[in-house]
Amino acid sequence: MRKQTGPDDWREANRARWDERVAIHTASDYYDQSAFRRTRDVIRDFEAAEVGDVTGRSLLHLQCHFGQDTLSWAHRGAARVVGLDFSEPAIEAARDLAAELGYGPDRAAFVAADVYDAAEAVPDTAYDIVYTGIGAVNWLPDLAAWAETAASLITPGGFLYLAEFHPLGDVLDETSGSQVTYDYFRREAWDEETPGSYTDFGAETVHNRSVEWLHPLGDVVSAVAAAGLRIEFLHEHDMTLFQRFGVLRRGEDGCYRFPEGRPRVPLMYSLKATKPA
Ligand SMILES: C[S@@+](CC[C@H](N)C(=O)[O-])C[C@H]1O[C@@H](n2cnc3c(N)ncnc32)[C@H](O)[C@@H]1O
């Protein structure tokens, strides 16, 4: 696997960006906290089907943001969930949300730490399920170290589950989603200034720099396999969770797809990999 390159201050730049966006996100329609307080569950159908029954299991959520997904797994019966994110404001918001929903720290704990420091930062040595994704790996420069960290935190017989936006989506033009416009094999970071957020493009923000990487699908699978996990499946999906390209149509299930009759490319992928018992 070839190495990604990027600026030394990627972590500080990204953390400042995410810290500032927590309050915007918790107040947004996109994350609709009042609906979440009612339903307590935002896990997408394909994730629920692929992860399976979590009743009684322990689950670690890497890059948990302010905890909606993490707490959803608790609602679905996980005995103990731990969320980790490097944004202190995100972790504070997650703890508040957990307390509001009546989950004590034994049931739902949240830790502020970089994903690469997860092994030292989380309260338990290992978990039945390590769950991550939905806009997570693109913030990380070193997939090998990420996969090793995740693998080290899985109980033997347990698994990693990753659901992500497909890297093919990063190379197509934003409007039609049909022109190959960007290089799939680029190694350099996208180091950009973009105000606002995906929840509110017009939001006034100060910390606008983001440093992100495109991880080809082969690199993700190879990193997970090299970390000693057995790939159970790699699924590619014809849908995504937001208006990635102007041409996509929102379906009744809330997911976005290419219009009928248009040749499709995968827009998301999901992977399950087990730690040998
Ligand atoms: C798009 S969100 C994760 C998606 C989550 N499912 C959601 O929408 O609520 C990405 C998260 O990654 C976190 N993050 C980015 N880089 C990180 C790092 N190096 N270590 C830990 N967390 C990181 C950010 O703070 C942010 O909360």
Side-chain angles (χ1 to χ4, degrees), residues 51-67:
V51 169
D53 186 9
V54 297
T55 308
R57 324 225 33 205
S58 60
L59 180 145
L60 170 64
H61 181 188
L62 297 175
Q63 296 176 249
C64 68
H65 204 23
F66 61 91

Side-chain angles (χ1 to χ4, degrees), residues 52-233:
D53 186 9
V54 297
T55 308
R57 324 225 33 205
S58 60
L59 180 145
L60 170 64
H61 181 188
L62 297 175
Q63 296 176 249
C64 68
H65 204 23
F66 61 91
Q68 281 195 350
D69 293 337
T70 327
L71 294 170
S72 300
W73 291 116
H75 181 67
R76 284 174 173 267
R80 173 167 171 73
V81 296
V82 174
L84 174 143
D85 200 283
F86 72 174
S87 166
E88 294 269 3
I91 292 302
E92 279 165 29
R95 286 181 183 146
D96 289 348
L97 190 58
E100 213 184 304
L101 299 184
Y103 296 117
D106 285 348
R107 185 81 195 286
F110 289 92
V111 181
D114 192 274
V115 79
Y116 292 117
D117 300 327
E120 296 78 46
V122 296
D124 314 289
T125 47
Y127 298 84
D128 297 324
I129 302 165
V130 172
Y131 166 79
T132 189
I134 319 284
V137 295
N138 51 301
W139 298 100
L140 305 177
D142 185 343
L143 271 189
W146 162 79
E148 280 160 23
T149 302
S152 75
L153 286 164
I154 303 171
T155 315
F159 62 88
L160 167 71
Y161 180 80
L162 166 71
E164 264 304 356
F165 300 110
H166 202 290
L168 253 189
D170 291 329
V171 305
L172 302 175
D173 72 286
E174 281 81 6
T175 311
S176 72
S178 59
Q179 298 281 338
V180 177
T181 307
Y182 307 102
D183 182 15
Y184 187 76
F185 296 102
R186 69 179 278 144
R187 298 284 102 186
E188 328 83 77
W190 275 296
D191 191 341
E192 291 175 347
E193 290 277 337
T194 328
S197 169
Y198 53 88
T199 65
D200 178 0
F201 293 107
E204 296 224 352
T205 49
V206 177
H207 298 287
N208 294 329
R209 196 166 151 225
S210 59
V211 184
E212 296 176 70
W213 289 268
L214 184 157
H215 295 296
L217 196 52
D219 284 7
V220 177
V221 175
S222 300
V224 170
L229 302 181
R230 193 190 111 123
I231 313 285
E232 301 291 340
F233 61 71

Side-chain angles (χ1 to χ4, degrees), residues 33 36 111 137 163 238:
Q33 286 275 69
F36 182 70
V111 181
V137 295
D238 69 351

